[in-house]
């Protein structure tokens, strides 16, 4: 059984962090950038061509979300622990009646909820799709679920590097680099190169670790247990690594 005492203070940390996104202009700036960038990539004649194709589908929107999140999600994650370490408030946090697990997961859930709220604001695109015809709502729902799970995976990666350094810029660069790696290994060019160098088995192993491949499964409307298990395991693994890194900081 899970010991509830290990998560003492999680709710308080979550509330503090989530409110923090809206107590400064940074949260609003992030939302504006996300909506403008995703809207432009979806509607642009050079990219998504949503208005020209006039299809009752959000494929154009989902196609660019993984690449947009590569930059935006590490930007959300970089301050979660690096700022605490730089200002010295992390030591104060460790003296409070809040467990390490509660503080870490509280920050993660607050960041994830903020990202989910940002996604919710893209609802006008869904309304436009409904106007164009009879969309496949199952694909839209699983696509948005994929966006949420992808955001969680990216956020968990970014938080690890934020917990390892006091410099937000370094945390951002490392988080972005790591997410890019797990994204591009699923591209056909990458898989072909790996297959030629190490064989078909290695190619399949790498493909199984690709965030892009599992995300595409959901955007096609396929809600597979293996895909959900992958995102859960992947995110949980990075969160555990982040907690271990932070625990070493606490011990030192």
């Amino acid at each position: 059984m899970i010991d509830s005492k290990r998560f003492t203070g999680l709710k308080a940390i979550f509330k503090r962090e989530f409110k923090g996104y809206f107590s400064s202009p940074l949260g609003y700036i992030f939302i504006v950038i996300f909506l403008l960038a995703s809207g432009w990539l979806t509607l642009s004649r050079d990219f998504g061509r949503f208005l020209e194709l006039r299809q009752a589908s959000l494929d154009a929107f989902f196609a660019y979300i993984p690449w947009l999140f590569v930059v935006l999600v590490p930007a959300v994650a970089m301050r979660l622990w690096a700022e605490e370490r730089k200002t010295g408030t992390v030591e104060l946090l460790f003296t409070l009646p809040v467990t390490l697990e509660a503080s870490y997961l509280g920050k993660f859930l607050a960041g994830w909820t903020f990202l989910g709220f940002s996604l919710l604001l893209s609802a006008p695109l869904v309304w436009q799709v409904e106007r164009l015809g009879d969309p496949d709502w199952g694909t839209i729902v699983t696509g948005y679920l994929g966006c949420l799970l992808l955001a969680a995976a990216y956020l968990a990666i970014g938080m690890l590097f934020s917990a390892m350094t006091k410099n937000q810029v370094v945390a951002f660069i490392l988080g972005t680099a790591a997410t890019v790696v797990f994204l591009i290994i699923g591209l056909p060019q990458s898989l072909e190169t790996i297959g030629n160098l190490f064989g078909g088995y290695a190619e399949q192993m790498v493909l199984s670790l690709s965030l892009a491949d599992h995300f595409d499964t959901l955007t096609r409307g396929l809600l597979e247990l293996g895909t959900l298990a992958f995102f859960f395991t992947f995110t949980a693994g990075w969160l555990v690594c982040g907690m271990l890194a932070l625990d070493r900081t606490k011990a030192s």
Side-chain angles (χ1 to χ4, degrees), residues 111-134:
W112 193 25
T113 303
F114 174 72
L115 292 169
F117 176 75
S118 302
L119 275 171
L120 182 63
L121 295 180
S122 66
L125 280 175
V126 180
W127 174 74
Q128 183 63 30
V129 165
E130 196 277 332
R131 287 186 59 210
L132 289 174
D134 185 20

Side-chain angles (χ1 to χ4, degrees), residues 130-207:
E130 196 277 332
R131 287 186 59 210
L132 289 174
D134 185 20
D136 183 349
W137 291 107
T139 301
I140 292 176
V141 171
T142 56
Y144 268 98
L145 175 61
C147 291
L148 284 172
L149 294 176
L150 189 67
Y154 282 7
L155 186 61
I157 293 173
M159 283 187 67
L160 167 63
F161 296 108
S162 181
M164 293 173 62
T165 178
K166 297 179 181 181
N167 191 311
Q168 294 189 44
V169 176
V170 172
F172 172 76
I173 293 173
L174 293 176
T176 300
T179 53
V180 167
V181 168
F182 281 102
L183 195 58
I184 65 174
I185 59 174
L187 297 180
Q189 300 90 331
S190 302
L191 292 172
E192 182 180 357
T193 301
I194 293 171
N196 292 335
L197 292 175
F198 304 104
Y201 180 74
E203 181 179 345
Q204 291 301 315
M205 286 291 293
V206 170
L207 180 62

Side-chain angles (χ1 to χ4, degrees), residues 5-11 13-14 98-108 243:
K5 292 183 179 180
R6 298 185 64 179
F7 301 100
T8 301
L10 188 151
K11 186 176 181 180
I13 295 294
F14 171 83
V98 179
T99 63
L100 184 146
E101 292 89 347
S103 59
Y104 203 90
L105 290 179
K107 284 176 174 286
F108 169 76
M243 290 182 201

